[in-house]
Amino acid sequence: MVKTKNKLVVAAVTLLATITLAGCSNSNNNASSSDTEVKLPIAYKNTAATNKNATKNGTLKLALVNNAPFQGITDPVLASNAADQQAFAPDGLNTLFNVDKNYKIIDGGLADQKLDRSAKTATITVRKNAKWSNGSPVTAKDVEYAYEVLGNKKSTSQQYSSDFENIEGMAEYHKGTADTISGITMPDGENGKVVVIHFKSMSPSMKYSGNSFIWGAVEPYEYIKDVPIAKLASSAQIRKNPIFTGPYKLDKVVEGESTSWSPNKYYYGKKAQIGHITINTVSMNNINKALQSKKYDSVVPSAAGQLGGTNYKSLKNNKGYTNVGQAALSYSYFAFNLGHYDTKTGKNVEDSNKKMANKSLRQAMMYALNVDQVSKKFGNGVKWRANTLIPPVFSQYYDKSAKGYPLNIKKANKLLDEAGYKKRNGSKWRSDPKGKPLTIHFGAMTSSATTEATYQDYLQQWHKIGLNVKYTNGKPMEMNSFYDVLQKPNQNQMDIWLGAWSLSSEPSQSQLYGDTAPFNMGHFATAKNTELINKMNDSTAWNEKTRIKTFKEWQEYMNEQAGVVGEQFNYAWQPVNNRVKGFSLSPANNELYSNLTLTSSKLK
């Protein structure tokens, strides 16, 4: 299984295809959009015999498709970028739970979970033989400490949201008025195996992995306890010598470039069979040639996908490979800078004086774009225009009837005229309603040649309606620099930007667009938005019809407000070399890396 516990920023927009939340929305993992032309099997059923010598002594070679170095943060609580998740994927991401094909939590993983609605508790029981890759036992404290790192006032984690304050005592701990989280207890002590989490209320999303109430990974408390939480992300324990609970252990990391792995003898589950795994960063402009020349067996398996439409056109018939795929847990989006993050209150705040505060301006910019044409030209059946912020992989909650923002230049111009954005004194550019010059800065990441051509098309379309839109800093930005800007509490370098999410497998929106979410980098934070997001998981949400209605109402509201607008949905696909056996992207494949073997010492 491609484990996903949280929402993460996708390394680069070209993926278009953050640990998982998919809920009961989809049982067959096929994209539920008529715009998807590609239909691939979810697994490569290789019938060739395993070569035991090649498997035991060989190396599985995987590519991490990214135009920038990965940051190297191995801790799932602290990682904020999907590239880190991919670079360290063979470690199992310290995942607690196994899931079925719908991402529903089942027994048999590192720990089991039992929910009690009447008592308002979740009991997490760690398996007796669970160990870290250094041989130390996984304990109850390792489960509990993840919440301390997540909620600490000085933590650098981007994963916190107000949903975690449904845990008794978490709000007080997060504010710094309490040293411990009163609602998390360990009946058998810190070295025991049982953790009980006490909630103020229960949510149906708790049944699924990646929900926004129960964190789905452990922290190696004994190994990192002496490191201040504020400095954890930069510590040697996280960056240079991390330990894990998964089937492989880290042998070597070359900062930003590669990771190397061998079987973890302490792993509780099915033993890893391939002797070595290497993961190397490959740029988007070089990945096609690298796979065509058989330098790699595949890309790192990802529910969000790493390859786009132009890759598919070039690689769909690549000799020696079989293509697999599924509906993607990802999408790309436009967001506008509408406010700031108040570090004292821990909340996003809208600022009415921000340049992009006028809804008509935002709507006009979206109607000016011809995303349908771009998707048709470059998507090659694996990308299409997003009509909402809920992708079709969540088939129950996705509003297929939503129109979104198809090209409508006439409407765009009318919106601007009526809002007072007019050309004055013979200027080719519109000024703002007060008559002041208007320059809009567009943030975009360096990417493939195709994606950067798409950026140029968008700029030209905005110019057509008289808006002076320019790149932030004059050109697309390196990925890490791009997010360094966006993750500042208050920034004015980007007025609009194009980003992408690697989604959790349960569709709740609090971690992305909630009023307390650090990932809400555009700071869209209206009372109505907060009301609808909270309603997704309140007591009414146990009625599935009511929950579906809430999700669709939220999608309609977000489209109308245009604070964040979907750009493209995608189909996650990847080629797998025909020497690889046992490969499956199914969420129910909880032993993805352990199930892999090789049929040959050389790539086919």
Side-chain angles (χ1 to χ4, degrees):
M1 164 188 161
V2 184
K3 305 269 186 177
T4 53
K5 293 187 257 330
N6 56 321
K7 296 178 174 72
L8 300 168
V9 290
V10 174
V13 174
T14 250
L15 307 184
L16 304 182
T18 219
I19 305 179
T20 296
L21 289 95
C24 55
S25 59
N26 192 41
S27 60
N28 57 15
N29 287 290
N30 289 323
S32 56
S33 170
S34 59
D35 295 304
T36 308
E37 298 172 9
V38 174
K39 293 290 188 296
L40 298 170
I42 199 170
Y44 171 37
K45 298 180 180 179
N46 192 341
T47 59
T50 293
N51 182 317
K52 293 183 179 179
N53 182 61
T55 298
K56 183 179 180 180
N57 299 311
T59 300
L60 178 71
K61 301 175 181 178
L62 300 175
L64 192 169
V65 187
N66 200 24
N67 274 4
F70 58 84
Q71 290 180 316
I73 300 176
T74 62
D75 188 329
V77 178
L78 302 173
S80 62
N81 199 287
D84 281 340
Q85 180 186 15
Q86 293 159 2
F88 299 99
D91 63 26
L93 301 175
N94 300 337
T95 302
L96 273 172
F97 308 119
N98 278 0
V99 300
D100 66 11
K101 64 183 180 180
N102 295 315
Y103 297 97
K104 187 174 183 179
I105 294 170
I106 59 175
D107 289 348
L110 183 71
D112 295 339
Q113 172 182 281
K114 182 180 179 181
L115 301 177
D116 188 328
R117 284 184 65 185
S118 60
K120 299 181 183 177
T121 60
T123 300
I124 298 171
T125 305
V126 178
R127 62 189 304 139
K128 293 180 180 179
N129 62 338
K131 292 183 178 181
W132 292 95
S133 53
N134 66 352
S136 300
V138 178
T139 66
K141 184 63 179 178
D142 296 334
V143 177
E144 185 274 341
Y145 197 59
Y147 293 88
E148 291 193 38
V149 176
L150 178 72
N152 190 281
K153 190 175 182 179
K154 296 182 179 180
S155 177
T156 58
S157 175
Q158 299 287 307
Q159 306 293 344
Y160 190 81
S161 76
S162 58
D163 279 358
F164 288 109
E165 294 179 5
N166 191 35
I167 299 171
E168 296 283 356
M170 179 60 99
E172 292 78 6
Y173 173 75
H174 184 60
K175 292 175 183 175
T177 59
D179 294 330
T180 59
I181 306 167
S182 61
I184 303 181
T185 60
M186 294 168 276
D188 301 326
E190 293 186 357
N191 293 323
K193 298 290 185 178
V194 180
V195 174
V196 180
I197 305 176
H198 302 260
F199 296 97
K200 298 172 184 176
S201 62
M202 301 295 283
S203 165
S205 69
M206 294 176 180
K207 297 182 291 183
Y208 299 92
S209 73
N211 68 77
S212 54
F213 300 94
I214 300 171
W215 186 252
V218 287
E219 289 283 324
Y221 173 69
E222 286 294 331
Y223 190 64
I224 63 175
K225 66 180 181 181
D226 294 328
V227 181
I229 289 176
K231 298 181 179 180
L232 195 54
S234 59
S235 69
Q237 289 91 328
I238 298 301
R239 294 287 189 131
K240 295 182 179 180
N241 303 299
I243 59 174
F244 306 104
T245 61
Y248 282 86
K249 65 179 180 67
L250 183 67
D251 292 330
K252 183 181 180 181
V253 57
V254 177
E255 186 175 355
E257 296 181 7
S258 66
T259 58
S260 303
W261 307 81
S262 61
N264 172 17
K265 67 179 181 180
Y266 296 111
Y267 180 53
Y268 68 86
K270 183 175 181 179
K271 300 302 180 185
Q273 301 175 77
I274 299 177
H276 303 278
I277 295 177
T278 59
I279 297 175
N280 288 273
T281 301
V282 180
S283 73
M284 294 171 187
N285 288 326
N286 291 331
I287 187 60
N288 289 355
K289 185 176 181 181
L291 288 168
Q292 288 165 345
S293 60
K294 296 181 171 51
K295 289 186 177 180
Y296 298 98
D297 288 286
S298 190
V299 298
V300 180
S302 168
Q306 291 195 59
L307 300 173
T310 51
N311 302 119
Y312 186 75
K313 183 178 181 180
S314 297
L315 298 172
K316 63 181 179 180
N317 296 316
N318 196 19
K319 188 175 180 180
Y321 290 80
T322 297
N323 295 321
V324 299
Q326 62 180 337
L329 281 168
S330 62
Y331 63 87
S332 57
Y333 66 91
F334 292 99
F336 294 89
N337 182 15
L338 301 176
H340 68 277
Y341 184 79
D342 189 325
T343 56
K344 292 182 179 180
T345 63
K347 288 193 173 185
N348 291 288
V349 180
E350 286 200 11
D351 300 336
S352 60
N353 62 344
K354 283 286 188 179
K355 189 186 301 182
M356 311 309 295
N358 191 303
K359 182 173 66 174
S360 294
L361 173 60
R362 303 194 300 266
Q363 291 177 335
M365 290 187 72
M366 293 298 95
Y367 278 124
L369 302 181
N370 195 345
V371 181
D372 285 304
Q373 183 184 56
V374 167
S375 300
K376 185 175 181 179
K377 183 173 182 178
F378 298 127
N380 293 298
V382 299
K383 294 190 295 185
W384 62 100
R385 179 175 64 85
N387 61 332
T388 84
L389 296 177
I390 300 289
V393 64
F394 302 115
S395 57
Q396 280 185 297
Y397 306 112
Y398 165 63
D399 187 358
K400 64 181 179 182
S401 67
K403 292 182 173 57
Y405 284 88
L407 176 68
N408 193 331
I409 292 289
K410 183 178 179 181
K411 190 168 186 177
N413 280 317
K414 184 179 180 182
L415 282 164
L416 292 172
D417 290 341
E418 292 178 349
Y421 292 90
K422 298 179 179 180
K423 297 179 182 178
R424 295 174 169 89
N425 302 319
S427 173
K428 66 180 291 189
W429 303 121
R430 295 176 184 266
S431 53
D432 72 15
K434 293 181 179 180
K436 295 181 179 180
L438 177 66
T439 301
I440 298 171
H441 295 102
F442 172 49
M445 286 178 277
T446 53
S447 189
S448 67
T450 298
T451 299
E452 294 195 13
T454 300
Y455 299 160
Q456 288 295 329
D457 181 79
Y458 292 162
L459 289 170
Q460 290 171 17
Q461 290 297 109
W462 288 324
H463 293 167
K464 283 182 181 179
I465 60 172
L467 292 177
N468 185 13
V469 186
K470 299 179 179 180
Y471 280 127
T472 295
N473 298 336
K475 60 182 180 180
M477 301 169 67
E478 185 270 338
M479 179 196 72
N480 294 315
S481 299
F482 176 90
Y483 281 111
D484 282 345
V485 171
L486 285 184
Q487 289 172 353
K488 291 178 180 177
N490 193 4
Q491 64 87 18
N492 287 307
Q493 292 179 251
M494 299 185 204
D495 300 310
I496 179 176
W497 61 90
L498 183 57
W501 294 124
S502 175
L503 297 176
S504 172
S505 55
E506 201 280 327
S508 300
Q509 298 297 307
S510 61
Q511 288 174 297
L512 288 182
Y513 304 119
D515 62 350
T516 60
F519 276 142
N520 185 356
M521 294 173 285
H523 315 295
F524 178 78
T526 65
K528 182 68 173 179
N529 181 51
T530 300
E531 176 191 337
L532 290 171
I533 285 178
N534 289 341
K535 194 176 178 182
M536 291 174 183
N537 288 303
D538 68 11
S539 59
T540 68
W542 288 96
N543 183 308
E544 190 62 36
K545 289 183 179 179
T546 300
R547 194 173 197 234
I548 290 170
K549 183 180 178 181
T550 300
F551 269 91
K552 291 190 175 180
E553 186 178 350
W554 180 80
Q555 290 170 77
E556 181 181 1
Y557 177 72
M558 292 299 282
N559 269 345
E560 189 271 334
Q561 289 291 306
V564 184
V565 175
E567 188 219 16
Q568 289 179 315
F569 292 144
N570 69 290
Y571 191 74
W573 71 278
Q574 64 189 93
V576 180
N577 190 266
N578 291 343
R579 74 164 180 156
V580 179
K581 187 177 176 70
F583 187 92
S584 173
L585 290 172
S586 170
N589 182 19
N590 291 286
E591 296 282 14
L592 188 154
Y593 284 94
S594 293
N595 284 332
L596 298 177
T597 61
L598 302 175
T599 65
S600 169
S601 58
K602 295 183 179 180
L603 275 72
K604 297 288 186 180

